[in-house]
Amino acid sequence: MTPTATYRLQLRSDFPFSAAEEAVPYLAALGVSHLHLSPVLEAVPGSQHGYDVVDHARVRAELGGEEGLRALSRTAHAHGLGLILDIVPNHMAVPAPESLNQPLWEVLREGPGSPYARWFDIDWEAAGGKILLPVLAHRIGDELEGLTVDGETLRYYDHVFPLREGTARLPLPELLDAQWYRLTWWRLARTELNYRRFFTISELIGVRVEDPEVFAASHAKILQLMEDGVVEGLRIDHPDGLADPEAYLRRLGAAAGGRWTVVEKILTGGERLPAEWPVAGTTGYDALYRIDGLFTDPDGVGELTAHYRDFAGPSGDRGGYWEATVRRSAYKVLTHELAAETRYLVRTAERICAADPALRDFAPWALRTAVRELLVRVPVYRPYVTAGGPCPESAEAAVPVEAVRQVKAAFAVPEEAAVVDLVRDLALGRLGGGPDRAAFCARFAQTASALRAKSVEDTAFYRYTPLLSANEVGGDPGAPSSAPADFHAFCARLARDWPATGTVLSTHDTKRSADVRARIAVLSECPQRWARLLAGLASVPVPAPDAHLAWTAWQTALGFGEPDGERLTAALLKSVREAGLHTSWTEQDAVYEQAVADFVAAGPAGPPFETVAKFARDLGPYVRANMLGAALLHLTMPGVPDLYQGTEREFCALVDPDNRRPVDFTPPAAGEEGLSAEKYAVTVAALGLRRERPDVFGESGTYTPLTAVGPAAGHCVAFCRSGEAVTAVTRLSLRLAEAGGWRDTELVLPEGVWGDVLAPGRGYSGAVRVADLFAERPVSLLTQERA
């Protein structure tokens, strides 16, 4: 069954299945068709998210176990709701104690001969036949006193490791050398690690779900829950980390009976989801980008960027210019955080060359250069290709010919530049199959996806900050605006090719919730006013440690809307650590970070915030138009809208873990007014219409753009769904007000009489003055009565 709308719940020990059960009546009344649950399989104790799975065979005890999940399902079904599960096929946790992950425990004890060795992506040759475990706080010579033998186990604080058979009585130095693992200082992970991980997180080890036995074992519980009717659909976390996403999705689709499935896939620029993938679509970051872009003024962004460069003074490739910042960030991530992954690719390429007489004269340094330089130039998350298989145009575009030309130009000797063609051919699987060729092809793609995520989303997004609302997952800060024609073309394509895809505005991974972004986006319509505001805030008692931080902090405060020092400080510390310009997660500068905290307390969370609050109040009507407009577009455009918990009302949250805080599942009080109550009313009306008329918005529904005419036509975005529902919203409302308002602008409605769902009793037909349509609110949802 395809959902009409889903509602994401973040499960955790203080919000278990029983608490979700209590929210079911409220969520059913809201109008969604399915509850979308964060991962439910057994995870690291105390996990706040569930993506650190330790046991695929059990439902998480902290949430109420399998009986709790089944009870939630029964209650949901009784109220007409189904369940969608978020599943994590790419990785498992490396927990403490390590015995929590039983497959990994067996591998640590028995080494490559263990039947579980096939579960994990481990390069046994890279560390002398051992798994490198970067768990020590300092070099091992300084930690020997913290290592103790307890029976058949080795203990290091919370960590417990199995001992290889027959080694328990050895002296400690010999015992350590005799194991299938090597305990090391955590800092060695980025250069010496020999297992695939999730991005740069060594506590998450890559799982080889491409192996049929591993797939079967790691999916048995999920498939049982689907077979029993407990679960009706799936969200697939990070498919780009898999060796062969398409093959995995085909195996999953066959096992799950083709149930509704969406993938967390970031589409960059004009990239399309592979048509061959047997899924309903993506989780919806592509929709988020297009919706946000409508409420971002392209002219104002340029002016705001100029003010940003004058105020913050970033150098060109450290926040001054987008593309240059992305490229430098990629080099930083590849040569530091992903150095071990690069070494794996180079070692594999060396073996390939050594085994083929025709390739033996490609020098290791040249292979290393070609691998690194091509990876930083992959413009999307990864190519989708297997060694020896067909190479579609989309894969070719992922490692573009222009990138090859640029990399070749860096070689002083033209003959040596031929190595670039070799590495590209290996990456695209053109040189045939075989274990090493297959391994290189898959790992190049996997590394490219990790590099893209870490260099763009987790580095460049925090370095290049003219307009923070543009720096969102799936977004493009270098081209943050979307014209109405582009939005309509995107929606038409969804309706034609992916009508059941997911769409989102806020998720557990968004860096700022939709309502925070809606506030910040107004700055693109008033860049000069923002520059004047910042000039007036220059005399804060405790100055910011640098101008870039000040710009970012004040924008964050404006969007967040509250002088909450704890939440603002946590978000801004994460921002400066991710940016890595003055401090980082692994090389923290305590003095700088204290200066950030002191500035936040004295400025954005102190008395000067009232100046920002007044500025925000002045922008209130335009923020309202952005919030309600984005919400209504999301709920009525093609696709299946996913509401993140709490976002049916005004929801201001910053980057995780702030956005995963518990929310209140109660409707507004009778007679309650304000933006939050208004957003709730719009949400309930749109969801109710989707539930009442699933054929209008579902897979067979049509999408027809409606174009306003008149002096302010560009400020109205409207479309008709299946001839029965019309959505109309206001965009760039501040610019609209400055230009004199709607004046004689009209919107020609499809034939018939149309009633406003948001304002019962009002009817329209033919050419309608937009000023009348938006007399009460900046959005309108119209329906035509069925015969």
Side-chain angles (χ1 to χ4, degrees), residues 187-199:
R187 285 189 177 275
L188 295 183
R190 65 186 185 186
T191 57
E192 309 302 319
L193 199 70
N194 64 329
Y195 59 80
R196 184 175 64 85
R197 53 188 166 167
F198 173 69
F199 294 164

Side-chain angles (χ1 to χ4, degrees), residues 373-383 397-400 403 444 448-449 451-452:
E373 296 297 330
L374 284 178
L375 276 170
V376 300
R377 288 170 172 80
V378 174
V380 292
Y381 269 66
R382 60 170 281 172
V399 191
F444 185 94
S449 73
L451 175 60
R452 184 78 187 180

Side-chain angles (χ1 to χ4, degrees), residues 520-545:
I520 296 174
V522 177
L523 298 181
S524 70
E525 302 178 65
C526 57
Q528 291 185 349
R529 290 167 67 175
W530 170 248
R532 289 196 295 271
L533 174 70
L534 280 187
L537 292 167
S539 58
V540 175
V542 178

Side-chain angles (χ1 to χ4, degrees), residues 79-149:
H79 286 78
L81 304 179
L83 300 185
I84 305 295
L85 280 194
D86 190 346
I87 67 171
V88 191
N90 178 68
H91 52 267
M92 294 181 73
V94 181
E98 282 65 17
S99 58
L100 292 171
N101 185 336
Q102 198 60 34
L104 180 61
W105 178 267
E106 297 299 329
V107 175
L108 294 178
R109 180 169 58 190
E110 300 179 14
S114 167
Y116 289 98
R118 65 195 308 164
W119 273 60
F120 305 107
D121 256 339
I122 301 169
D123 182 7
W124 292 98
E125 295 182 8
K130 299 175 182 288
I131 307 173
L132 185 132
L133 295 178
V135 298
L136 303 181
H138 306 92
R139 292 185 181 88
I140 192 166
D142 299 322
E143 295 291 334
L144 290 176
E145 292 184 359
L147 296 169
T148 59
V149 176

Side-chain angles (χ1 to χ4, degrees), residues 693-765:
R693 306 187 184 188
D695 54 324
V696 171
F697 298 94
E699 294 182 67
S700 61
T702 62
Y703 178 91
T704 305
L706 300 179
T707 304
V709 293
H715 292 277
C716 177
V717 176
F719 53 81
C720 181
R721 298 302 314 275
S722 305
E724 295 190 25
V726 167
T727 290
V729 307
T730 305
R731 68 183 289 263
L732 306 183
S733 57
L734 175 53
R735 295 294 199 198
L736 171 67
E738 292 175 340
W742 292 110
R743 290 163 285 169
D744 296 328
T745 304
E746 293 183 332
L747 179 66
V748 180
L749 298 174
E751 186 177 346
V753 178
W754 297 82
D756 194 336
V757 177
L758 303 175
R762 300 189 67 186
Y764 306 93
S765 62

Side-chain angles (χ1 to χ4, degrees), residues 40 42 58-65:
V40 303
E42 196 62 70
R58 293 188 297 134
V59 176
R60 191 173 172 191
E62 284 182 309
L63 302 181

Side-chain angles (χ1 to χ4, degrees), residues 359-439:
L359 303 178
R360 285 177 188 163
D361 284 347
F362 287 110
W365 72 264
L367 289 168
R368 183 169 56 252
T369 300
V371 166
R372 182 182 67 238
E373 296 297 330
L374 284 178
L375 276 170
V376 300
R377 288 170 172 80
V378 174
V380 292
Y381 269 66
R382 60 170 281 172
Y384 298 100
V385 66
T386 57
C391 185
E393 289 186 14
S394 59
E396 295 259 1
V399 191
V401 173
E402 175 58 22
V404 172
R405 187 193 65 77
Q406 292 176 8
V407 177
K408 283 185 172 182
F411 284 82
V413 179
E415 291 86 347
E416 291 178 334
V419 71
V420 184
D421 293 316
L422 168 68
V423 171
R424 183 177 191 247
D425 285 343
L426 287 172
L428 297 179
R430 287 173 164 172
L431 298 186
D436 280 336
R437 285 173 168 80

